[in-house]
Amino acid sequence: MENKNISIIGVPCDYGQQRRGVDMGPSAIRYAGLQDRLKTLGYDVADEGNIQVVDFDEVEQQDHRLLNLEEVVRVNTTLAEKVDTVVKNNRTPLVLGGDHSIAIGTLAGLSVKYKNLGVIWFDAHADLNTPETTPSGNIHGMPLATSIGLGHERLTSILHSEAKIKAENIIIIGGRSIDDGERVLIKERGIKVYTMHEIDRLGMTHVMEETLQYFKTQQVDGLHLSLDLDALDPLYTPGVGTPVAGGITYRESHLAMEMIQESGLLTSAEFVEVNPILDERNKTADAAVALIGSLFGETLV
């Protein structure tokens, strides 16, 4: 990655789901030594602090299909404006969650500059639900659908009314818990998914080679990595709210990060769903920082 300027943005939001604790994720990742690790790699690192999130008692519940909608909209609007500013200042946004609903704001902010953005969605889940298909009402299961223009108008119109990314520019890696409505949308929109079946059968090297070559063929003008720590097997990342057994290994994940770095395509990243309350001695946050290290060029020799 040519841009050696990184801005860290914390988003301590846990309103996209119903398990408390993920709001402490940004602090846990910082505590695990993120800034020093990036500085050691030669980056100019600016910690922009956290997006302000109101206390849970102040959130008014209105729609069971869209839990905590008002606060999710407010947080993501503020985040989108911040990401846009960081990009305009020629810095690489590195966003720390918080739950995965914050990707709505990240992608909205990136869409101001990047009109043909490629997105690698490293996740056990597809996050392609809408208010009509959601089994839970949790908005952290909707950010990809929202970003291609589907869902509640308050969410899809953050910063501007157009879709933030193209469905054909999404590749989901690590999928193994996909809802019925999401399967329909994946087929209708032609969204590419590498499930654990494909990763087991083809190997992570092949999956990443195909992924990165595809984005080069699509001539994307930027590449965003959105990594949910539940993409990894819970053996390596126990501190997540929605763990799914049979996930990506620690080493496979590092290989994927290293290959993204080597591609030279990366322009932004976010790491989400670290929940210290559910974690074991900050193991999940430590894994996040190690993966960020690999993503930004850390090597063994």
Side-chain angles (χ1 to χ4, degrees), residues 74-92:
R74 192 197 67 76
V75 169
N76 277 288
T77 300
T78 305
L79 173 59
E81 292 167 349
K82 184 65 176 180
V83 169
D84 180 33
T85 298
V86 166
V87 171
K88 286 176 177 173
N89 289 335
N90 195 34
R91 302 187 68 87
T92 298

Side-chain angles (χ1 to χ4, degrees), residues 152-296:
H152 197 285
E153 185 269 342
R154 294 287 308 285
L155 294 169
T156 60
S157 63
I158 288 174
L159 281 197
H160 58 81
S161 59
E162 293 82 12
K164 308 311 188 283
I165 55 176
K166 301 173 183 176
E168 61 268 27
N169 282 356
I170 299 168
I171 296 182
I172 299 168
I173 297 176
R176 56 193 185 279
S177 178
I178 300 175
D179 296 324
D180 291 341
E182 294 176 313
R183 290 191 188 95
V184 172
L185 188 57
I186 286 167
K187 292 177 181 177
E188 286 180 350
R189 296 300 182 101
I191 296 171
K192 192 165 185 59
V193 182
Y194 288 101
T195 67
M196 289 309 303
H197 171 79
E198 279 79 36
I199 293 173
D200 289 342
R201 183 166 59 88
L202 301 172
M204 183 60 81
T205 298
H206 186 86
V207 166
M208 292 308 302
E209 285 175 345
E210 283 193 351
T211 294
L212 295 167
Q213 183 56 46
Y214 175 79
F215 286 129
K216 290 177 182 177
T217 301
Q218 291 292 96
Q219 296 183 318
V220 297
D221 56 1
L223 179 63
H224 176 65
L225 169 70
S226 189
L227 190 147
D228 186 324
L229 272 296
D230 72 20
L232 279 71
D233 192 275
L235 175 67
Y236 310 103
T237 54
V240 297
T242 50
V244 184
I248 299 170
T249 69
Y250 186 77
R251 185 56 235 160
E252 286 172 331
S253 300
H254 275 280
L255 174 61
M257 299 303 102
E258 291 160 0
M259 293 182 71
I260 293 171
Q261 165 62 210
E262 290 168 1
S263 75
L265 297 174
L266 185 73
T267 50
S268 56
E270 65 192 337
F271 285 70
V272 303
E273 299 284 359
V274 173
N275 189 328
I277 290 178
L278 304 174
D279 208 1
E280 302 169 1
R281 300 188 302 277
N282 218 33
K283 185 176 182 178
T284 305
D286 287 339
V289 171
L291 290 172
I292 291 169
S294 290
L295 181 67
F296 286 97

